[in-house]
Amino acid sequence: MRGLLLPLLLVLLAGCGVADPLAPAPAPSPSSAAVPLPGARSGPLPGAETPTTAAPAGPAPVVVLDPGHNGGNAAAADEIGREVPDGRGGTKPCNTTGTETADGYAEHAFAFDVAARVTRLLTARGVEVRSTRDDDDGVGPCVDRRAAVANDARAALSVSIHADSGPSGGRGFHVALSDPPLSASQRAPSAALADALVAGLEAQGFTPSTYRGEDGLDPRPDLAGLNHARVPAALVECANMADPGEARVVEDPAGRQRYAEAIAAGVLRTLGR
Ligand code: ZN
């Protein structure tokens, strides 16, 4: 009998404690799903400047920055001259070359540099920033396409950055918004954004335009990018590049940093961050 019992006992034991390869794997517990992936970062990058205020928790809002014009526009007259829908039933040229200071410092370069500075400031505060153009030597995009970038991203808001070619002796910034409004986002939300941008610019020592708009605000129907916007949107004309005093500020990196700080402050105020 003993010779028969031992093999039987070994067969029974073999069924204990051995995983069945066909059985379903245990579901991950909620706590294990929240463990960050290897290499994931929750804080600033090593060596990055420590923000003075910590970025609020929660999903990053998306902000679209739209630096006006582009460095290749002047050499692409046909392409930027073609008509696109203006958002009010008419048409407008796809894009324009923009203006420049008497020294030849171009508006497209100013807008691109300020947008890069705003991007750094907002990113440090936990905002996801997207741009309507990635370089300063391309063509366009057309104004309707610029608006579509923000609309398609369902952005929290969009800010177009420009500098003006105003009358001799005229000075100061103005913030344009679509008027009469064509959507709910063009009403109170865009007005709140424009007000916050005015406040940010004034806090940096800039003064409202002496030649356009009222108290720094310029509601207008003819800016296609704003007409097409379906997210809160405003366009900042930072300065009159034709004014020698303002041209000096625009041409100075420290001046451009002040414009960037002003715009970033307006954006953060609007986002409640
Ligand atoms: Zn412009």
Side-chain angles (χ1 to χ4, degrees):
M1 283 297 287
R2 220 177 149 183
L4 283 171
L5 270 177
L6 189 59
L8 181 64
L9 200 62
L10 286 173
V11 167
L12 288 172
L13 284 172
C16 301
V18 177
D20 182 349
L22 296 177
S29 69
S31 62
S32 70
V35 173
L37 293 168
R41 298 181 189 284
S42 56
L45 295 170
E49 231 173 85
T50 306
T52 47
T53 310
V62 174
V63 163
V64 169
L65 297 179
D66 172 35
H69 317 283
N70 205 334
N73 283 5
D78 286 352
E79 199 174 337
I80 66 163
R82 75 182 173 84
E83 295 286 313
V84 298
D86 70 355
R88 290 186 190 270
T91 63
K92 278 198 90 168
C94 156
N95 213 195
T96 54
T97 55
T99 187
E100 62 183 22
T101 66
D103 296 334
Y105 183 64
E107 180 190 354
H108 63 77
F110 166 78
F112 193 72
D113 183 80
V114 170
R117 293 169 186 274
V118 177
T119 299
R120 286 194 285 275
L121 292 167
L122 292 180
T123 301
R125 296 292 297 275
V127 177
E128 180 183 341
V129 180
R130 300 185 195 173
S131 179
T132 56
R133 59 182 173 100
D134 296 325
D135 54 50
D136 194 38
D137 53 11
V139 177
C142 299
V143 282
D144 55 338
R145 181 60 213 153
R146 289 172 187 252
V149 169
N151 294 343
D152 293 349
R154 298 177 190 275
L157 60 88
S158 174
V159 179
S160 298
I161 300 170
H162 288 249
D164 201 14
S165 175
S168 169
R171 294 177 60 92
F173 70 84
H174 60 278
V175 179
L177 63 170
S178 171
D179 185 70
L182 297 166
S183 68
S185 69
Q186 292 179 15
R187 297 178 191 277
S190 291
L193 170 61
D195 285 343
L197 289 166
V198 168
L201 286 156
E202 289 186 322
Q204 283 293 329
F206 298 114
T207 52
S209 175
T210 59
Y211 64 90
R212 175 134 204 162
E214 202 171 321
D215 298 328
L217 291 173
D218 184 30
R220 53 192 282 191
D222 60 323
L223 293 175
L226 297 180
N227 294 344
H228 284 291
R230 294 297 178 266
V231 304
L235 182 151
V236 184
E237 292 280 9
C238 291
N240 177 12
M241 289 183 106
D243 178 79
E246 297 211 300
R248 276 194 295 277
V249 179
V250 160
E251 291 173 2
D252 180 1
R256 295 197 293 277
Q257 185 65 22
R258 282 174 58 213
Y259 284 113
E261 300 272 0
I263 292 168
V267 168
L268 291 167
R269 177 187 286 214
T270 307
L271 295 175
R273 292 171 82 91

